[in-house]
Amino acid sequence: MMEKKLWGGRFEASLEAWVEEFGASIRFDQKLAKFDIQGSIAHVTMLGQTGIIEQAEADTIKAGLEELLAEYETGQLEFDVTNEDIHMNMESLLTEKIGPVAGKLHTARSRNDQVATDMHLYLKDKLHEVIEKLANLRQVLVHLAEEHVETVMPGYTHLQHAQPISFGHHLMAYYQMFTRDSERFTFNIQHADMSPLGAAALAGTTFPIDRQLTSDLMGFAKPYSNSLDAVSDRDFILEFLSNSSILMMHASRLCEEIINWCSHEYQFVTLSDTFSTGSSIMPQKKNPDMAELIRGKSGRVVGNLVGLLTVMKALPLAYNKDLQEDKEGMFDTAETITVAIDILAGMLESMTVHKDRMAVSTEKDFSNATELADYLASKGMPFRQAHEVVGKLVLECTKAGHYLQDIPLERYQEVTDLIEEDIYQALQSRTAVERRTSLGGTGFESVQHQIQQATAELNPDK
């Protein structure tokens, strides 16, 4: 006997169980249950107010939906794969609860606009959560930068010592990255904050619905202007996945640095035990596993973006079953980034910074070579000539096994009489950092200015 489906009127045979399992989405789209009920409550409220169904019927359906929501929130609802997706499961559960009148809920609605509405509601809610968590991470970076404005460390290019910088300055670079991430997610809300409900399958409906009313009831900024676009648009999800990929790329870069900094070769920081693990065979090990996991999960998030882009790239309008593949990557990404942001904030907040080790690492290197070139240029030597002079001195030092600050004044003055005793002060790492006062530079005053700006951004009402 053919099992009765809500869409089964024109079918003579039912799906085999393994085929049904392949086509079903309830395993993952049950995450939309709360939002599906929220959208249904708005829809039936509108059906009653417009007279499309009797007000008493609308009230009965609404009461049943509210009971289902309460049961869902207490973990009492059970979903059945034979009902395919969250929409069919909810309609079936509602029918069990209030009887055949539940069938009137689907008047002037399709699963096409229903699922799109659910995802808009889900993602809009998630975006606010992500932005809030990013604000906390940015605040952690600012607080850490405040503590380390005058902590001197090597700045790198090509992973080679380049110029000494403030550790606070280094941290504030990541503050700027995560601020741009927050701005992208904030813009993402604009496209998530639209209601597809009422677009029906693709062409709208003959019923006298009020799409503005349902949009307002769900708290959306506006309804979609085109019904085809409403049911087929997944740009708001692609934007989220793209923004998340950029966020995780930034997080991965910072984690890569943390992994380096806590290695034996660097010893710049020590991570809290809370965010470290040990080895099953090597008892001395303290591994930065959480940082490594964030670095690894960045690939997973990028994969979700590429997956949906590939699904979307050749889809004709309007709805196609391919769009069922839009959800798992969205859910996975949302869950991944929200935890990753919190883990990263916790690692930064609890790690120990070894200021002395950072400072020492800038003293036995040639990261002050630019200071000598700038010194000569400030005395009137063309910079290109100064660059060549300093390059030759660096070569001389590497062969002799010492550094620029070890060269006697007599030798400096053999090279050029522009060099005087103040050169040794200029070659100190702290001096090199302190003097870079240009806007956005690593000078201590400049870093303080960055922190002040960031504090104002994070606390606009103060």
Side-chain angles (χ1 to χ4, degrees):
M1 181 178 176
M2 178 179 171
E3 184 178 348
K4 184 173 175 59
K5 296 285 188 182
L6 294 175
W7 44 259
R10 63 94 65 220
F11 288 82
E12 295 180 342
S14 60
L15 293 173
E16 291 189 30
W18 65 276
V19 178
E20 188 168 57
E21 179 70 32
F22 181 74
S25 60
I26 188 59
R27 176 176 52 83
F28 51 85
D29 70 8
Q30 60 186 270
K31 294 179 187 292
L32 296 172
K34 177 178 72 171
F35 305 102
D36 194 71
I37 295 172
Q38 183 181 341
S40 290
I41 289 173
H43 184 65
V44 78
T45 300
M46 179 274 295
L47 291 178
Q49 288 191 21
T50 55
I52 295 173
I53 66 174
E54 296 293 330
Q55 188 60 54
E57 294 172 327
D59 292 341
T60 299
I61 294 170
K62 184 176 179 181
L65 289 167
E66 288 171 344
E67 284 184 39
L68 286 176
L69 180 59
E71 291 172 12
Y72 171 75
E73 290 176 341
T74 54
Q76 296 178 56
L77 290 189
E78 292 185 7
F79 302 112
D80 185 348
V81 71
T82 61
N83 284 321
E84 300 178 22
D85 57 34
I86 190 59
H87 323 298
M88 295 302 219
N89 268 271
M90 282 300 177
E91 187 169 339
S92 178
L93 289 167
L94 184 64
T95 301
E96 289 177 16
K97 187 172 290 292
I98 65 172
V101 70
K104 293 199 172 185
L105 172 60
H106 211 56
T107 308
R109 186 175 73 168
S110 163
R111 281 187 293 177
N112 295 356
D113 61 337
Q114 190 177 354
V115 69
T117 300
D118 292 359
M119 289 190 295
H120 275 271
L121 288 168
Y122 169 87
L123 196 54
K124 181 182 169 185
D125 181 71
K126 191 59 67 173
L127 283 166
H128 287 290
E129 181 185 350
V130 170
I131 292 165
E132 184 178 332
K133 288 181 180 293
L134 275 173
N136 177 62
L137 173 59
R138 291 158 64 208
Q139 188 68 71
V140 167
L141 284 164
V142 170
H143 284 158
L144 195 56
E146 282 182 302
E147 294 175 25
H148 295 286
V149 171
E150 298 190 19
T151 298
V152 176
M153 68 174 291
Y156 296 84
T157 62
H158 308 277
L159 209 56
Q160 304 292 316
H161 284 212
Q163 294 174 300
I165 60 171
S166 155
F167 183 46
H169 187 59
H170 194 112
L171 293 167
M172 289 306 294
Y174 283 101
Y175 168 83
Q176 295 297 338
M177 295 182 208
F178 292 125
T179 297
R180 292 193 295 273
D181 290 323
S182 182
E183 290 168 350
R184 277 185 282 268
F185 284 118
T186 299
F187 180 78
N188 199 167
I189 292 173
Q190 182 174 323
H191 293 149
D193 201 13
M194 298 167 64
S195 173
L197 194 58
L202 75 160
T205 177
T206 58
F207 290 95
I209 61 172
D210 186 340
R211 292 192 62 215
Q212 187 63 57
L213 174 59
T214 53
S215 178
D216 292 343
L217 288 170
M218 290 183 289
F220 284 117
K222 62 179 181 180
Y224 272 83
S225 298
N226 181 286
S227 61
L228 283 169
D229 186 40
V231 297
S232 63
D233 173 34
R234 296 297 184 269
D235 290 357
F236 66 106
I237 302 177
L238 287 168
E239 285 178 2
F240 174 68
L241 297 177
S242 176
N243 296 340
S244 298
S245 296
I246 297 172
L247 163 65
M248 287 298 286
M249 175 270 291
H250 290 153
S252 180
R253 293 181 73 179
L254 179 50
C255 284
E256 170 73 10
E257 301 212 89
I258 291 170
I259 291 162
N260 285 335
W261 292 341
C262 66
S263 69
H264 182 75
E265 287 70 25
Y266 282 75
Q267 297 182 46
F268 286 178
V269 305
T270 299
L271 291 181
S272 161
D273 289 356
T274 304
F275 298 97
S276 307
T277 65
S279 165
S280 63
I281 187 173
M282 295 167 283
Q284 84 281 9
K285 294 294 293 298
K286 183 176 181 179
N287 300 325
D289 279 15
M290 299 307 109
E292 292 170 358
L293 278 170
I294 291 173
R295 185 177 61 181
K297 287 177 184 294
S298 64
R300 174 185 187 140
V301 171
V302 171
N304 289 335
L305 168 62
V306 174
L308 185 55
L309 282 169
T310 306
V311 167
M312 296 296 298
K313 71 175 181 60
L315 287 189
L317 293 176
Y319 184 83
N320 298 270
K321 189 68 168 178
D322 313 50
L323 289 174
Q324 184 169 293
E325 293 299 310
D326 60 2
K327 297 170 194 66
E328 288 179 279
M330 177 181 70
F331 295 146
D332 179 68
T333 294
E335 291 165 7
T336 298
I337 68 171
T338 49
V339 176
I341 294 168
D342 286 345
I343 292 287
L344 184 54
M347 273 196 299
L348 291 166
E349 202 166 25
S350 60
M351 75 181 183
T352 302
V353 178
H354 303 301
K355 299 181 182 181
D356 293 343
R357 176 70 183 184
M358 284 186 172
V360 166
S361 70
T362 68
E363 294 170 3
K364 299 299 181 182
D365 66 0
F366 292 99
S367 63
N368 54 3
T370 305
E371 307 313 306
L372 179 53
D374 286 350
Y375 175 92
L376 293 173
S378 69
K379 295 291 186 81
M381 182 181 290
F383 183 81
R384 279 292 160 225
Q385 183 184 344
H387 187 285
E388 182 177 1
V389 167
V390 176
K392 289 179 178 178
L393 285 170
V394 168
L395 178 61
E396 181 181 308
C397 287
T398 57
K399 289 181 177 179
H402 57 238
Y403 300 95
L404 292 174
Q405 56 269 34
D406 301 323
I407 297 175
L409 182 60
E410 296 79 14
R411 173 59 187 141
Y412 270 130
Q413 291 182 334
E414 287 176 10
V415 175
T416 172
D417 58 9
L418 294 175
I419 299 177
E420 301 178 65
E421 288 187 14
D422 61 349
I423 186 57
Y424 298 105
Q425 178 66 29
L427 289 173
Q428 291 182 16
S429 298
R430 182 180 176 86
T431 304
V433 176
E434 196 169 20
R435 291 178 63 240
R436 282 180 158 69
T437 57
S438 58
L439 179 65
T442 192
F444 302 144
E445 288 184 10
S446 175
V447 177
Q448 288 284 13
H449 180 64
Q450 294 176 53
I451 290 169
Q452 289 166 7
Q453 282 187 317
T455 301
E457 290 169 359
L458 290 167
N459 304 281
D461 298 329
K462 291 186 179 180

